């Protein structure tokens, strides 16, 4: 294997594409192997007819010019010549006759919520103070902590300073516990619903701070356009992308990864292997249980109370654009309790995409209804259903019909005009992504979690690195982007290649 050192990358999601682009820029020769017919991974998107369908992206973090994360997105070509949608609110919830909107303008949010509940004013002012402090935080993207010298680590800690200390404390506070301190039920509802169950006050403060600072928005065209730009950037830098090329095994010899064997039997020898897919699937299937993850990552899989997975049923509809709620993400109560995986759901969270002109066609736009579900139990439920395609389809259409009735009751202008398009269940994510318990994202770090720096290395096996959002403190496309970069920095460090 003369010439540039070769890297096999498994998975063409954001992390795999990020790793491929950075590796190509630093002199490696890479091939990305993707099991599906399109790139994107968890960043799901597709065309239904001529209408682009958004399967994952509510918002994108890192869109403010001049920030380190924005520079990373541009280095991989994701935001080149891109316009953005800037919603007026991060999240809007309707409850007890009131509507609470987490507005982009923090002062507007404070005035509006204090008017709803004057007795909650002190707690609201405290929350807004925390968000303002969090606005000064910048996500570290320069290099992973394990590659920093003592002086670089000191500088990084000094730069984050007081903000990092405040956020560290907020990460130990359950968002549900914080929400319970509000007197007004609409405020309790909004703070309980804005992020997945189990989230922390620190996660909300950081997300809302980024939104109010203009660092969170939606690129026009959503996932489909963004992934295509990353693929173009990868190919322009002489990378090789193979679609519908599932990897069956990671080849090892003498304690080192030596390449991959594809499902069609083809064997490819490489200097490095990067697995940008589920770590459990990598170890259990691709490495055939011969090697295990680093212990800190194993703990995430074995401590579901501290690191739960997040699953859902996601229903896709086409709806008249003028009948949709004004808010991009909107939560409302329904008197129709929707049974899903043995649990009842009395609220629906809808995401509407009429604010992006590319998602509007003939006066209709995409509407997404999310029904959250517990990780392992809901996966087993849908896994059992999937044995019988008829039973699986019947359950999907029952949920779609229940959601349609709830939508039509809340938004009468939709009556008779909704068109059910498709549905994602935990089995969708298991089949497409080989995701642990059918998770649609990585782990959720709760207040019980002990934060740890993860490296993606496997004890006893060299020349293989895991990458992706499973290694970050939070899920998200920005985490996948940064982890892909970190992985190549670790390879460059091992190969004594200067990172510029």
């Amino acid at each position: 294997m003369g010439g540039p050192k070769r890297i096999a990358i498994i998975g063409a999601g954001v992390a795999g594409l990020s790793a491929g682009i950075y590796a190509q820029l630093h002199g490696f020769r890479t091939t990305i192997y993707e099991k599906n017919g399109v790139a994107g991974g968890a960043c799901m998107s597709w065309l239904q007819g001529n209408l682009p369908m958004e399967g994952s992206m509510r918002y994108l973090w890192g869109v403010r010019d001049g920030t380190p994360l924005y520079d990373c997105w541009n280095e991989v070509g994701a935001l080149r010549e891109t316009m953005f949608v800037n919603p007026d609110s991060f999240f809007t919830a309707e409850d007890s006759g009131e509507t609470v909107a987490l507005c982009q303008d923090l002062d507007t949010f404070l005035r509006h919520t204090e008017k709803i509940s004057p007795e909650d004013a002190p707690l609201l002012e405290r929350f807004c103070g925390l968000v303002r402090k969090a606005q000064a935080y910048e996500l570290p993207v320069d290099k992973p902590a394990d590659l920093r010298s003592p002086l670089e680590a000191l500088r990084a800690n000094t730069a984050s300073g007081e903000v990092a200390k405040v956020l560290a404390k907020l990460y130990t506070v359950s968002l549900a516990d914080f929400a319970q301190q509000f007197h007004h039920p609409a405020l309790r509802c909004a703070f309980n619903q804005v992020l997945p169950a189990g989230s922390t006050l620190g996660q909300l403060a950081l997300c809302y701070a980024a939104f109010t600072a203009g660092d969170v928005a939606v690129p026009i065209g959503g996932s489909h356009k963004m992934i295509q730009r990353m693929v173009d950037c990868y190919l322009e830098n002489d990378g090789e992308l193979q679609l519908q090329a599932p990897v069956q095994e990671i080849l090892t010899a003498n304690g080192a990864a030596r390449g991959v064997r594809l499902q069609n039997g083809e064997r490819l020898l490489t200097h490095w292997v990067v697995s940008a897919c589920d770590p459990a699937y990598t170890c259990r299937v691709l490495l055939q249980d011969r090697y295990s993850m680093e212990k800190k990552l194993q703990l995430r899989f074995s401590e579901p109370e501290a690191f739960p997975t997040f699953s859902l049923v996601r229903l896709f509809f086409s709806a008249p654009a003028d009948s949709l709620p004004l808010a991009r993400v909107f939560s409302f109560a329904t008197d129709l309790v929707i049974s899903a995986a043995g649990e009842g759901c009395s609220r629906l969270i809808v995401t509407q995409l009429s604010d992006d002109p590319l998602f509007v066609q003939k006066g209709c736009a995409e509407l997404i209804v999310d029904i959250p579900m517990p990780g392992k139990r809901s996966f087993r439920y849908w896994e059992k259903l999937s044995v019988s395609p008829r039973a699986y389809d019947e359950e999907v259409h029952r949920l779609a019909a229940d959601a349609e009735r709830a939508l039509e009751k809340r938004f009468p202008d939709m009556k008779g005009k909704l068109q059910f398009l498709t549905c994602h269940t935990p089995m969708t994510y298991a089949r497409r992504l080989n995701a642990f318990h059918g998770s649609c994202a990585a782990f959720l770090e709760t207040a019980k979690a002990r934060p740890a720096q993860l490296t993606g290395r496997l004890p006893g096996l060299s020349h293989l690195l895991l990458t992706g959002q499973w290694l970050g403190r939070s899920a998200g496309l920005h985490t996948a982007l940064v982890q892909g970069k970190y992985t190549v920095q670790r390879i460059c460090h091992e190969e004594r290649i200067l990172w510029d």
Side-chain angles (χ1 to χ4, degrees):
M1 294 188 292
K5 293 202 170 182
R6 298 195 58 173
I7 303 176
I9 300 173
I10 306 169
V14 170
L17 288 168
S18 170
I21 292 167
Y22 279 113
Q24 289 293 137
L25 291 173
H26 287 83
F28 294 95
R29 182 182 172 191
T30 68
T31 303
I32 299 178
Y33 300 98
E34 169 57 51
K35 64 175 289 214
N36 298 299
V38 294
C43 195
M44 291 186 185
S45 61
W46 66 97
L47 290 174
Q48 189 145 332
N50 294 321
L51 184 66
M53 298 293 296
E54 179 58 71
S56 59
M57 186 193 296
R58 278 186 177 173
Y59 301 104
L60 185 68
W61 193 342
V63 303
R64 192 178 67 197
D65 193 359
T67 62
L69 189 54
Y70 179 82
D71 292 340
C72 277
W73 282 121
N74 277 308
E75 286 168 354
V76 299
L79 301 183
R80 59 173 68 164
E81 300 177 359
T82 308
M83 301 285 289
F84 295 97
V85 173
N86 295 97
D88 293 331
S89 67
F90 182 72
F91 180 82
T92 300
E94 183 181 80
D95 192 77
S96 304
E98 297 286 356
T99 301
V100 176
L102 277 75
C103 310
Q104 186 158 43
D105 183 78
L106 203 52
D107 291 330
T108 301
F109 166 76
L110 186 57
R111 286 195 304 270
H112 173 65
T113 50
E114 285 182 337
K115 185 177 180 180
I116 291 174
S117 180
E119 63 181 331
D120 283 314
L123 189 56
L124 288 164
E125 289 172 3
R126 179 189 162 207
F127 172 71
C128 288
L130 294 172
V131 172
R132 287 192 177 93
K133 286 182 179 179
Q135 286 175 342
Y137 181 79
E138 284 192 350
L139 188 73
V141 300
D142 58 330
K143 65 169 60 175
D146 53 292
L147 296 187
R148 289 185 184 141
S149 67
L151 181 58
E152 288 173 328
L154 178 62
R155 286 173 178 167
N157 292 334
T158 303
S160 56
E162 193 63 31
V163 181
K165 293 179 182 178
V166 171
L167 287 172
K169 291 180 181 178
L170 298 183
Y171 270 95
T172 65
V173 178
S174 160
L175 187 54
D177 290 344
F178 181 76
Q180 284 303 113
Q181 297 179 47
F182 288 102
H183 294 88
H184 200 286
L187 290 172
R188 290 199 298 270
C189 172
F191 278 81
N192 265 315
Q193 290 278 305
V194 59
L195 294 180
S199 298
T200 67
L201 180 57
Q203 290 158 353
L204 177 58
L206 202 54
C207 289
Y208 193 31
F211 181 75
T212 57
D215 199 26
V216 169
V218 186
I220 293 288
S223 299
H224 180 74
K225 295 291 185 181
M226 191 183 82
I227 290 298
Q228 189 56 57
R229 287 189 293 268
M230 291 184 71
V231 169
D232 291 344
C233 181
Y234 177 63
L235 297 177
E236 287 164 7
N237 284 284
D238 299 322
E240 181 184 356
L241 173 61
Q242 291 195 20
L243 300 175
Q244 294 183 318
V247 172
Q248 186 162 335
E249 181 186 1
I250 295 173
L251 304 175
T252 63
N254 301 321
R258 299 299 185 189
V260 296
R261 180 166 60 85
L262 304 185
Q263 201 170 75
N264 63 11
E266 185 179 355
R267 295 163 60 94
L268 302 110
L269 299 181
T270 60
H271 297 88
W272 284 85
V273 175
V274 170
S275 183
C277 59
D278 181 287
Y281 179 82
T282 301
C283 293
R284 187 184 68 253
V285 178
L286 300 183
L287 286 168
Q288 301 175 356
D289 281 327
R290 296 192 300 268
Y291 297 92
S292 300
M293 298 170 257
E294 56 187 318
K295 288 185 178 179
K296 291 177 181 178
L297 182 54
Q298 286 185 50
L299 286 175
R300 294 193 177 192
F301 284 89
S302 62
E303 295 184 352
E305 289 190 2
F307 296 97
T309 53
F310 177 58
S311 297
L312 49 74
V313 166
R314 180 163 279 167
L315 301 159
F316 298 85
F317 296 87
S318 172
D322 57 6
S323 71
L324 297 174
L326 295 177
R328 182 176 178 87
V329 184
F330 184 78
S331 169
F332 68 96
T334 171
D335 54 11
L336 174 65
V337 177
I338 299 175
S339 175
E343 294 198 355
C345 176
S346 59
R347 294 192 69 87
L348 291 183
I349 298 176
V350 300
T351 303
Q352 60 89 8
L353 284 80
S354 66
D355 48 8
D356 184 335
L358 294 186
F359 286 91
V360 180
Q361 189 178 72
K362 296 180 180 179
C364 290
E366 182 183 354
L367 176 70
I368 305 167
V369 177
D370 286 344
I371 303 175
M373 295 189 174
K376 182 177 181 179
R377 185 168 54 185
S378 65
F379 174 65
R380 298 301 183 209
Y381 174 84
W382 285 98
E383 186 180 41
K384 185 177 179 181
L385 269 181
S386 68
V387 174
S388 168
R390 181 177 176 180
Y392 182 91
D393 289 343
E394 286 177 351
E395 179 69 351
V396 164
H397 284 90
R398 181 189 68 79
L399 287 170
D402 286 350
E404 187 171 336
R405 284 195 292 271
L407 287 166
E408 289 181 341
K409 184 170 183 179
R410 174 59 187 84
F411 305 103
D413 288 346
M414 292 183 186
K415 193 168 182 64
K417 300 175 183 176
L418 282 167
Q419 179 187 358
F420 174 58
L421 300 173
T422 190
C423 174
H424 289 168
T425 74
M427 286 307 297
T428 307
Y429 301 100
R431 289 166 176 163
R432 179 181 170 88
L433 308 174
N434 299 313
F436 182 67
H437 291 162
S439 174
C440 62
F443 295 111
L444 179 69
E445 188 175 292
T446 69
K448 298 178 180 179
R450 292 169 291 176
Q453 296 290 341
L454 302 173
T455 68
R457 297 182 175 93
L458 275 66
L461 183 64
S462 68
H463 293 80
L464 183 141
L465 287 172
L466 306 174
T467 195
Q469 57 178 326
W470 296 87
L471 303 184
R473 287 199 66 176
S474 62
L477 303 182
H478 64 285
T479 300
L481 165 76
V482 174
Q483 290 298 329
K485 175 183 176 180
Y486 284 176
T487 296
V488 179
Q489 287 179 312
R490 292 183 177 110
I491 294 175
C492 286
H493 178 77
E494 293 289 335
E495 296 288 349
R496 301 184 183 276
I497 294 173
L498 181 65
W499 184 271
D500 50 25

